[in-house]
Amino acid sequence: MSTKLTWIEDELASLREQGLFTNIRTLSSAQGAWLEVDGKRVLNFCANNYLGLANHPQLRDAAKSAIDRMGIGPAAVRTIAGTTNLHLQLEERLARFKGVEAALTFQSGFNANIATIPALVGKDDVIFSDQLNHASIIDGCRLSRARIVAYAHNDVDDLRRKIAETTEYGRRIIITDGVFSMDGDIAPLPALYEVAAEHDILLMVDDAHGEGVLGKGGRGIVDHFDLHGKVDIEVGTMSKAFGVVGGIVAGRKVLVDWLKQRARPFLFSSAMTIPDVAACLAAVDLLESSTELVDRLWSNAKTFREGLAGLGFDTGHSQTPIVPVMLGEAPLAQQFSKRLFEEGVFAMAIGFPTVAKGKARIRVMNSAAHTPEDLETALAAFERVGKELGVV
Ligand SMILES: *Cc1c(COP(=O)(O)O)cnc(C)c1O
């Protein structure tokens, strides 16, 4: 037998030994506060389903009725087969929701990043990128062939130093996550804006975990900091709080016009599907009609974070509904997650390479879908497992 793939077997064995092998659970129920996972009913603290929209009746109805009218697939890329009025309607609604001139949808947030960055900078240009930016930003930066200058996480002084040291450039752009998904901390966007404005550098924020979460009624990080009109490019996703799948780029109309001409995942990959677009429109309707779900999300997150801290857990420096429970070594985090699961709580262990070595954790994802009783049940399970494993 050929030995061409033996190295992969060795690598996988090594991941298992280090406690870094990711096991993917099988779900047999819809997304929600409770899930059936590998045949067991458990409380869900893993999902990015911040507002509980992934299985919301209004989104389900919108998707079904759109399928009946318009079918399912877009049948080709938009530049060749044309685009549906539903896609345009969603883009107009998203632009209005976010308070920008225009928006463009992509198949995912990942695609929105790898589409946008290479369309804006190239090999003579410089990108200043937060050291903890999401993988899709990193890949977008690499694809652009621009010079990548990483600055220390959320450290505006380091960014200033790096800008001063970088004297040769064509165009320049600063790129940051809005909410950092492993720690739940928020980028210092007002200070980043000041630096960008001072040096006339483009500013881009990826608001994947802020869309539907931060700002008035979930309008995002720009609204949260009242920076309307000051951030050049906002990337986002409809795969998290919106409960569906899809990416967004929002900003000036000229930006969207350019991306339609140059963004490769727009030009060479088919659009969002009809039911996804219709469900996203229903999500915008819901968010515009009431802040109830966003308010409940934040109140649940506060209860849970304070509950964990009260039990003696280290919850890092989270400012959002993402709450890390810092455990240190990856095998302990995996053991903690496994014991939680046995206690009926599904919460993921996260280790290297997603976070630095020695910074393994359980990442708790709060949701408006949880009831007060759900939160109590989960906190009691954290307490039992934490004591058993000597963490608290
Ligand atoms: C989740 C995430 C993405 C990817 O979004 P998808 O729509 O799932 O592809 C991109 N950027 C950041 C910062 C994210 O957290």
Side-chain angles (χ1 to χ4, degrees):
M1 210 169 74
S2 160
T3 55
K4 277 186 289 190
L5 299 183
T6 315
W7 68 272
I8 301 183
E9 282 163 10
D10 296 344
E11 290 286 338
L12 289 173
S14 148
L15 288 180
R16 285 193 182 91
E17 261 161 43
Q18 299 170 71
L20 297 174
F21 185 86
T22 309
N23 279 303
I24 303 179
R25 304 272 194 184
T26 306
L27 313 185
S28 47
S29 64
Q31 277 295 329
W34 289 83
L35 296 175
E36 194 178 308
V37 183
D38 294 335
K40 185 179 159 79
R41 210 172 107 79
V42 289
L43 257 171
N44 180 14
F45 283 90
C46 290
N48 300 320
N49 185 19
Y50 287 111
L51 303 175
L53 298 186
N55 186 32
H56 192 284
Q58 244 165 279
L59 273 72
R60 287 207 311 253
D61 287 347
K64 283 187 271 194
S65 100
I67 288 175
D68 289 342
R69 281 177 290 124
M70 312 273 292
I72 298 164
V77 302
R78 294 166 74 177
T79 45
I80 292 176
T83 194
T84 75
N85 50 8
L86 267 187
H87 285 80
L88 297 178
Q89 212 181 317
L90 175 60
E91 287 160 351
E92 277 163 28
R93 291 288 303 280
L94 286 169
R96 209 180 325 144
F97 179 68
K98 297 186 67 64
V100 293
E101 272 180 25
L104 188 61
T105 57
F106 288 87
Q107 307 82 359
S108 70
F110 200 110
N111 268 6
N113 276 323
I114 62 172
T116 304
I117 302 167
L120 296 177
V121 284
K123 68 175 175 38
D124 299 324
D125 304 329
V126 177
I127 300 168
F128 299 99
S129 176
D130 187 291
Q131 179 198 4
L132 293 189
N133 275 345
H134 188 263
S136 57
I137 296 179
I138 295 171
D139 286 5
C141 292
R142 289 178 180 157
L143 275 175
S144 77
R145 285 180 285 185
R147 181 165 159 217
I148 303 163
V149 178
Y151 61 90
H153 174 53
N154 278 353
D155 186 339
V156 180
D157 292 332
D158 191 47
L159 170 62
R160 284 184 184 282
R161 272 193 298 278
K162 295 279 158 61
I163 290 171
E165 285 164 9
T166 309
T167 49
E168 270 178 49
Y169 52 82
R171 282 192 291 272
R172 294 179 294 177
I173 187 169
I174 298 167
I175 309 181
T176 185
D177 270 28
V179 173
F180 288 83
S181 57
M182 294 304 141
D183 291 286
D185 53 336
I186 303 179
L189 203 57
L192 293 175
Y193 164 70
E194 274 179 27
V195 175
E198 219 170 277
H199 297 274
D200 205 24
I201 303 178
L202 281 169
L203 178 59
M204 168 169 156
V205 63
D206 177 352
D207 202 21
H209 284 278
E211 212 83 67
V213 174
L214 291 177
K216 189 160 66 61
R219 281 165 176 74
I221 191 169
V222 169
D223 186 80
H224 170 80
F225 284 120
D226 200 12
L227 288 172
H228 289 285
K230 295 180 172 166
V231 175
D232 301 296
I233 305 114
E234 279 180 75
V235 168
T237 179
M238 288 168 287
S239 326
K240 291 179 172 136
F242 277 61
V244 192
V245 146
I248 322 168
V249 179
R252 296 271 312 280
K253 181 171 177 301
V254 65
L255 169 73
V256 166
D257 287 346
W258 177 243
L259 292 178
K260 285 180 178 171
Q261 304 302 315
R262 279 293 178 275
R264 292 169 69 84
F266 183 85
L267 298 170
F268 299 105
S269 182
S270 296
M272 289 173 70
T273 70
I274 303 284
D276 285 341
V277 172
C280 286
L281 273 165
V284 179
D285 283 342
L286 269 172
L287 284 166
E288 283 183 344
S289 70
S290 156
T291 64
E292 186 195 331
L293 291 173
V294 179
D295 296 343
R296 196 183 311 151
L297 166 68
W298 282 91
S299 122
N300 280 355
K302 182 166 184 284
T303 304
F304 209 81
R305 185 182 315 111
E306 290 175 357
L308 285 169
L311 293 170
F313 287 103
D314 172 5
T315 59
H317 30 257
S318 159
Q319 302 167 273
T320 62
I322 301 172
V323 181
V325 177
M326 308 303 289
L327 294 170
E329 297 309 318
L332 174 61
Q334 285 216 335
Q335 177 64 7
F336 202 107
S337 172
K338 184 166 159 277
R339 283 289 301 118
L340 278 177
F341 189 78
E342 286 160 6
E343 298 285 327
V345 174
F346 185 31
M348 222 7 124
I350 305 221
F352 182 79
T354 311
V355 295
K357 284 190 173 146
K359 296 259 186 190
R361 64 199 65 184
I362 300 286
R363 189 178 64 149
V364 174
M365 299 300 293
N366 286 285
S367 169
H370 295 128
T371 65
E373 297 74 53
D374 293 340
L375 300 181
E376 264 175 45
T377 307
L379 283 169
F382 268 89
E383 183 175 19
R384 280 196 301 279
V385 175
K387 284 189 171 150
E388 176 190 311
L389 298 181
V391 177
V392 292

